[in-house]
Amino acid sequence: MRLLAIDTALANCAAAVLDNDAGSACFEACAEEIGRGHAERLMDMIGEVMAETSTPFSSLDRVAVTIGPGSFTGMRVGLAVARGFGLVLGKPVVGITTLAAIARSAAPGDAGAPLLVALTGKGDEVYCQQFDASGAPAGQAGVLTFADLAANLPEGIRLAGSAAEKVAGECGIPTDRILSRRGFPCIRDVAELGMTADPARSSPSPLYLRPPDATPQTKGRIERQ
């Protein structure tokens, strides 16, 4: 299978081509931690990895894209590009959460205590999800406060993600249980998860864990008849 992977959900902007066929196996990635401006950089990165691997778009079997949690603007950029390729090429597009991709990299695979991937949210909130030691989901992604986490985390829990340090401090967890402080996934992990994702269950739809801060204006609205 030959796959194009895209990540624009957080501070990183990345694209990669992964081919796991025995006769043509390759991996090529382009990534840059830019914070903003994903729309200006993404297409150049895609062009670079496609050219470096001599991959025509018509030979792609699927596209994988990060769906969040993350920046609203960044997610929309990646999703729009991925869906566009999928539509034009007639190929499946699969959505990969940033939490799952970070877990894949950080999970120790030792059959020990579970892993909590925690990303910095608004105020005292964190976007988080528990995974087992192999990186498989052990619960649903959600938004929790530090107080919620302190009351509900299992004994021995290990941590990863941009909020790992804060979670450890707020919840009294030893810092030696922090396995990673990465604030965004590695594009290789996004690509690997995209290879095995079921298109029927991995929709390329944004993962919103909290409602938007802005609400529609109602004052002065003229009602439609």
Side-chain angles (χ1 to χ4, degrees):
M1 181 186 295
R2 185 172 291 184
L3 171 147
L4 171 66
I6 295 169
D7 173 34
T8 59
L10 292 160
N12 207 34
C13 184
V17 169
L18 175 61
D19 186 343
N20 65 357
D21 289 338
S24 57
C26 68
F27 176 74
E28 183 70 30
C30 183
E32 184 180 349
E33 186 177 352
I34 61 174
R36 317 187 159 187
H38 297 84
E40 291 75 22
R41 291 287 292 120
L42 180 59
M43 292 306 296
D44 286 342
M45 290 184 172
I46 291 173
E48 181 177 329
V49 296
M50 297 293 283
E52 287 294 325
T53 56
S54 300
T55 301
F57 284 97
S58 59
S59 71
L60 291 171
D61 295 301
R62 68 169 53 176
V63 179
V65 60
T66 47
I67 59 172
S71 155
F72 175 86
T73 303
M75 283 193 296
R76 302 303 294 188
V77 169
L79 283 163
V81 171
R83 288 170 174 170
F85 282 137
L87 182 63
V88 170
L89 300 173
K91 301 295 184 180
V93 180
V94 294
I96 305 300
T97 73
T98 53
L99 298 167
I102 292 172
R104 188 182 189 280
S105 174
D110 58 4
L115 172 72
L116 179 80
V117 178
L119 297 175
T120 304
K122 301 279 188 180
D124 67 344
E125 295 177 339
V126 293
Y127 307 129
C128 57
Q129 185 175 7
Q130 283 192 42
F131 298 82
D132 65 23
S134 68
Q140 297 296 314
V143 182
L144 294 175
T145 65
F146 293 112
D148 293 332
L149 287 170
N152 294 287
L153 286 179
E155 186 175 352
I157 189 79
R158 293 176 283 192
L159 305 171
S162 57
E165 194 86 43
K166 189 72 180 291
V167 171
E170 294 285 340
C171 300
I173 299 172
T175 56
D176 61 4
R177 291 193 202 153
I178 299 175
L179 305 185
S180 170
R181 294 171 173 82
R182 284 185 66 94
F184 51 82
C186 172
I187 191 62
R188 179 69 186 246
D189 293 308
V190 175
E192 294 280 3
L193 287 171
M195 282 283 187
T196 59
D198 179 358
R201 303 179 63 183
S202 303
S203 171
S205 301
L207 176 64
Y208 297 130
L209 297 182
R210 67 192 304 275
D213 293 324
T215 56
Q217 182 177 348
T218 56
K219 185 176 181 181
R221 175 183 293 176
I222 299 175
E223 296 295 333
R224 293 180 181 271
Q225 298 298 321

